[in-house]
Amino acid sequence: MKIVGVGAGPNLLTLDAINAIKNAKIIYGSKRAIEIAKKYINCKSTIVSEIKDYNLAKLKEIPKDAVVLSTGDPMLSGLGFLDGEVISGISSLQIACARLKISLTNLAIITMHGRNIEKGKIAIVNELKKGKNVFLLPDPKFGVQPLAEFLQKHNLKVQIAVCENLAYPDERIEIGTTANPPSKESDLYCIVLVNTSHFSF
Amino acid sequence: MKIVGVGAGPNLLTLDAINAIKNAKIIYGSKRAIEIAKKYINCKSTIVSEIKDYNLAKLKEIPKDAVVLSTGDPMLSGLGFLDGEVISGISSLQIACARLKISLTNLAIITMHGRNIEKGKIAIVNELKKGKNVFLLPDPKFGVQPLAEFLQKHNLKVQIAVCENLAYPDERIEIGTTANPPSKESDLYCIVLVNTSHFSF
């Protein structure tokens, strides 16, 4: 199996990824991942299946000779945990850092999506207090407004950037504060918390 | 100016990066970055200059209409701090995580290269004690052997992966322990410290 990162949006495919997609006999992926890759899928000879059930037992049924598409980078909350070679892709993390001109060092990467929210909250506080910036893959249960209130309660003065549809034509980035948080208009989004204090690592 | 990530090695260029390189009138980059991109540089119409002096004042002299190539991702110890649009590239961090099957979350990214070594050491200890894995861009003054001794002294039982020439044909990964650290055979390398304890973020 090959797990191929197709990037966070259009035009981010790497030459390695294109090569794997062109040579695939069987392709599995989400609707969005297939959409990103479709220009390079050989329609005549490739069987394409949309993954709709991300249950681990179901994922394990994917044939060993398949190419599995993963949006962003497979090792960032993607399908990189499946058995097989991983081909890296450009993640929303990278696009967010590029747009906001924030270094990937001095940055904590926290996934709250589908995880324990309380543990995530503790991690956010700890990282910000150390002077780090935080890249957050949010969970619907803990969006921008409750996050801003939580940060205010902890007296953490940071800038909040909502980054939506990164790399898509309708990309939108709004920056606010804990007192005046940015709005969220799309479900395809990530959050960057930019610390106003400084730290050298 | 456009700052274009060309990836950590060959065949990692994205479609966006190829497009920027093909359309560039002036290109600046390190010898290695130019080598990665050269297949897509229009030799007849593009002026290519090798950057040899990374002094900030010198970098600021680069013309505003230039495309500046940065190996890996410009936002990971690259040239992304220069004024201009950043096009993300696949970094050695991502290739290392793909090969070692390590998630990009629960990972601290530490650059020691050209930085304060003592601050870096403190950061390594703090992150490992929290249960995080560490991706390290090492400095020649603090290589694998002194790092292993330092970790042993702090009683930090981790696996040490030396990742050399990632994405190149002579890629080499050796995994060892603090007691039996891996050898280092190339100057183009990074280190991943894999924590044996677990942590959910």
Side-chain angles (χ1 to χ4, degrees), chain A residues 2-3 37 72 78 96 135 147 162 166 182:
Chain A
K2 270 189 188 175
I3 304 104
F135 172 84
L147 172 64
V162 162
L166 289 175

Side-chain angles (χ1 to χ4, degrees), chain B residues 3 11 25 35 42 55-57 64 69 76 78 90-91 112 115 135 145 148 186 190 198:
Chain B
I3 303 104
N11 299 319
K25 294 277 167 271
E35 184 65 31
N42 190 329
N55 183 293
L56 189 59
K64 293 277 171 280
L69 307 179
L76 180 58
I90 302 290
S91 64
M112 285 179 109
R115 311 289 169 91
F135 172 84
Q145 192 61 48
S186 165
C190 56
H198 291 286

